[in-house]
Amino acid sequence: MVVSKAVVTAAGRGAGRQAMLPIVDRDGLTKPVLQIIAEEALESGVERIHVVVAPGDEAVYRAHFRNHAEALRSGGEAEGALDQARRLSDLAQRLTFVVQEEPRGYGHAVWLAREFVGDDPFLLLLSDHLYLSAEPRRCARQVMDLAAAEDCAVSAVQATREHLIHQYGTLSGRRPPDRPDVYAVEEIVEKPNPTLAELKLRVPGLRAGHYLCFFGIHVLTPGVFELLDEAVREDRRELGSIQLTTALSALARREKYLALETRGRRFNLGEKFGAVEAQVALAMAGVDRDRILAVMLDAAARVDQAPPR
């Protein structure tokens, strides 16, 4: 299995365009979240990226990449500016867009990419998650490598504490004897409560009070679109929207489908302080490590010295 296409869902409404949130990446450059996610895909071997957006957002994203590249070229004397401009221009050429006219859910957003995907497997990423790998391979590359080796769909998962599972798709699965980090997916439930998880989603070998939750990275086969077609055509909404999780649970009953405990961390930007945690983690793993560490130590000292209120 060769994965050369990626889909990024960025059609969320609400308080502004989260995919345009500026974050300082490990290379010390400030980038919108969408660019960091796109680079996760490109540096994992993807060649083309399809972004699902809300109405009016395509123009905003394209204008950003064009204007930022031009600004970097005009300031070409700055260290790395021309190289970054070339990277931005190359990224912009690899992006295509599709508009989700109505907010019908994550499953519907993925379904909109069916013409782009065609009959190929594809990498699926969320626009509100960032990743930090604990090994040289990117987190997305780890998932793609397992999908290629096993010739099947693979979802990244992370052991997650019980009080957080209401935010994620959560699954049960069986470990093969030779791979303690891999699970054959059995059942998936979207945002379960602890009682339901205790009854249906316990996984032997995990720490007490922990469950396997989606990490935000998937390699999926085009078979998922057959299942989403049915849900979209019949407008099957759960929790108010068309769910990808339901289609993935059905996919596990149709074909081989694995989950991988990725060596890395996810940062959900939609959580309270999620963007702050992501920024600190990326900075601590990058070229600005010493600087951010000094800032944090100084800030902590100032807080300790402040008089009580």
Side-chain angles (χ1 to χ4, degrees), residues 12-297:
R13 276 72 167 176
R17 299 178 179 92
Q18 196 164 53
M20 292 302 292
L21 179 71
I23 296 282
V24 181
D25 202 358
R26 284 160 293 184
D27 55 12
L29 298 173
T30 301
K31 308 170 185 176
V33 166
L34 179 61
Q35 182 180 345
I36 298 176
I37 293 167
E39 289 177 355
E40 172 89 21
L42 294 175
E43 292 177 17
S44 296
V46 162
E47 297 175 1
R48 297 168 57 202
I49 302 171
H50 200 54
V51 188
V52 185
V53 297
D57 282 1
E58 176 181 355
V60 173
Y61 297 143
R62 287 201 180 280
H64 165 79
F65 290 120
R66 181 179 62 252
N67 295 340
H68 194 37
E70 290 175 357
L72 286 166
R73 279 191 288 268
S74 64
E77 295 181 3
E79 184 178 356
L82 292 178
D83 180 63
Q84 176 66 358
R86 282 191 293 268
R87 291 176 65 184
L88 275 174
S89 297
D90 177 66
L91 170 59
Q93 292 174 8
R94 294 172 185 264
L95 292 179
T96 55
F97 295 84
V98 63
V99 177
Q100 186 185 39
E101 298 289 352
E102 301 176 54
R104 296 177 63 188
Y106 185 31
H108 178 259
V110 175
W111 176 79
L112 289 171
R114 65 198 183 283
E115 293 184 6
F116 167 79
V117 170
D119 295 326
D120 300 319
F122 65 103
L123 175 69
L124 176 62
L125 298 166
L126 293 163
S127 67
D128 59 357
H129 281 50
L130 293 179
Y131 312 98
L132 186 60
S133 179
E135 62 163 73
R137 292 179 302 167
R138 289 274 198 161
C139 291
R141 185 74 229 183
Q142 296 173 43
V143 179
M144 291 166 62
D145 284 348
L146 181 61
E150 298 293 333
D151 195 29
C152 69
V154 177
S155 288
V157 292
Q158 181 170 286
T160 304
R161 292 183 178 180
E162 181 181 77
H163 72 281
L164 296 174
I165 63 174
H166 67 281
Q167 302 176 28
Y168 303 101
T170 306
L171 62 87
S172 62
R174 294 174 289 103
R175 280 177 171 151
D178 58 333
R179 287 290 302 265
D181 58 341
V182 173
Y183 302 82
V185 177
E186 294 179 331
E187 185 167 4
I188 311 169
V189 177
E190 178 66 15
K191 300 178 180 178
N193 59 51
T195 300
L196 179 60
E198 175 72 18
L199 288 172
K200 301 182 69 173
L201 301 172
R202 293 181 64 186
V203 176
L206 288 188
R207 288 176 293 170
H210 286 71
Y211 294 90
L212 290 178
C213 291
F214 281 147
F215 191 77
I217 299 176
H218 311 265
V219 170
L220 300 177
T221 63
V224 73
F225 292 112
E226 295 178 21
L227 299 162
L228 288 171
D229 274 337
E230 298 172 12
V232 172
R233 186 173 59 251
E234 299 174 13
D235 199 24
R236 293 188 207 150
R237 303 197 187 203
E238 303 168 59
L239 303 175
S241 61
I242 295 171
Q243 299 290 337
L244 176 66
T245 302
T246 303
L248 295 183
S249 195
L251 189 72
R253 296 189 290 271
R254 287 192 179 189
E255 60 185 62
K256 183 178 179 181
Y257 180 18
L258 300 177
L260 172 69
E261 278 196 272
T262 316
R263 297 193 69 244
R265 293 178 61 196
R266 66 162 177 242
F267 300 94
N268 183 349
L269 304 181
E271 290 182 347
K272 185 178 182 180
F273 301 125
V276 175
E277 291 178 4
Q279 180 59 94
V280 171
L282 290 173
M284 291 293 288
V287 297
D288 292 323
R289 173 185 170 83
D290 292 343
R291 179 181 176 185
I292 195 68
L293 185 58
V295 168
M296 291 171 62
L297 290 173

